[in-house]
Amino acid sequence: MKVIALINGQITSEVSAIYALHYAKVNSYELELIHFLNNRDELVAVQRTIMRIKEMAKGYDIACHSDMFNNTVHYLIQYTKEHFVDTIFCATRIKKSFFSDSFSSLLIKLPLRANIAIARIVHVSAAMSIDSLLLPIEDDRLSVMKFHFFSSLVQAYEAQYELYSIKKCS
């Protein structure tokens, strides 16, 4: 089973890849770092991110591979059809809304055979040590997959946790 971390050379995507690394470690999955070539990202920064994450993966004894591709959408769809991918991690930024006009907004619309974890990075320094995690669930929308994802991160970071059931009032 694999975990994919989409990287672009920005610190937020590197932090998201660190989350993916911890998730892969706890579940004994392989980590695949993927970058889609474009004219906005600095290739040197992407390569540095790859080197840092691969070095961390060695320390955790996790198989880690990296690839760079031109065709974003079609490649990702095909890749998830051909490989057992548990989760794809992708960082996002905030503009007017959570992920408007971003790669993340495109990602959630694709017919992918994988779970998608969109990480909104607020505290870059927290990537290596997370003290507590919070999982708010609206009504009865807690699935086995969501709980597995959440509990894997709790275990990976040895974090305190809280679960909340939120019910909308009319």
Side-chain angles (χ1 to χ4, degrees), residues 16 50 109 112 124 130 169:
S16 179
I50 289 170
K109 296 174 187 170
L112 300 170
V124 173
I130 295 175
C169 297

Side-chain angles (χ1 to χ4, degrees), residues 18-19 21-22 56 60 124-130 157:
I18 292 170
Y19 293 154
L21 178 67
H22 281 83
M56 291 175 70
Y60 291 136
V124 173
S125 61
M128 295 305 293
S129 63
I130 295 175
Y157 285 98

Side-chain angles (χ1 to χ4, degrees), residues 40-53:
R40 292 183 313 264
D41 299 336
E42 292 182 35
L43 198 52
V44 172
V46 171
Q47 291 166 336
R48 286 184 188 139
T49 295
I50 289 170
M51 287 182 354
R52 284 190 292 268
I53 299 298

Side-chain angles (χ1 to χ4, degrees), residues 8-23:
N8 63 6
Q10 299 291 320
I11 189 68
T12 52
S13 74
E14 187 166 334
V15 170
S16 179
I18 292 170
Y19 293 154
L21 178 67
H22 281 83
Y23 181 76

